[in-house]
Amino acid sequence: MKIRAADKSELMEISKIEVKGDDLVLKGKVYGAMPMTAVVTPEEARKFGKMLTPKLVWFLLTMPFRKGAK
């Protein structure tokens, strides 16, 4: 999975997601070169949950079925 900037340049490529204890661990590369391991703790996941609205939850659930940019 790639995360891109507004100008479509690649910021990060996530190649693996795993669980380590109570944390979510994301592994990949930043800017296509530098290896990265990011950790999402339960506290940070709760902060993310507070930002969710019903409209955003619906968008996230339907996003894999959308066509995307051409």
Side-chain angles (χ1 to χ4, degrees):
M1 176 178 106
K2 292 182 181 182
I3 298 175
R4 299 186 181 278
D7 66 358
K8 306 291 185 200
S9 62
E10 184 179 319
L11 292 177
M12 174 184 320
E13 182 175 356
I14 299 172
S15 57
K16 189 173 185 181
I17 301 174
E18 54 190 30
V19 175
K20 192 174 238 183
D22 289 335
D23 297 336
L24 187 65
V25 179
L26 309 168
K27 294 186 177 188
K29 292 183 179 182
V30 178
Y31 299 114
M34 189 168 54
M36 170 214 61
T37 300
V39 178
V40 180
T41 63
E43 293 81 15
E44 294 303 316
R46 283 190 287 278
K47 289 177 186 176
F48 175 75
K50 290 178 182 178
M51 292 187 284
L52 292 175
T53 63
K55 184 177 179 180
L56 184 55
V57 170
W58 178 251
F59 178 83
L60 291 171
L61 289 173
T62 61
M63 193 174 186
F65 307 102
R66 296 170 184 260
K67 287 185 180 182
K70 293 181 181 179

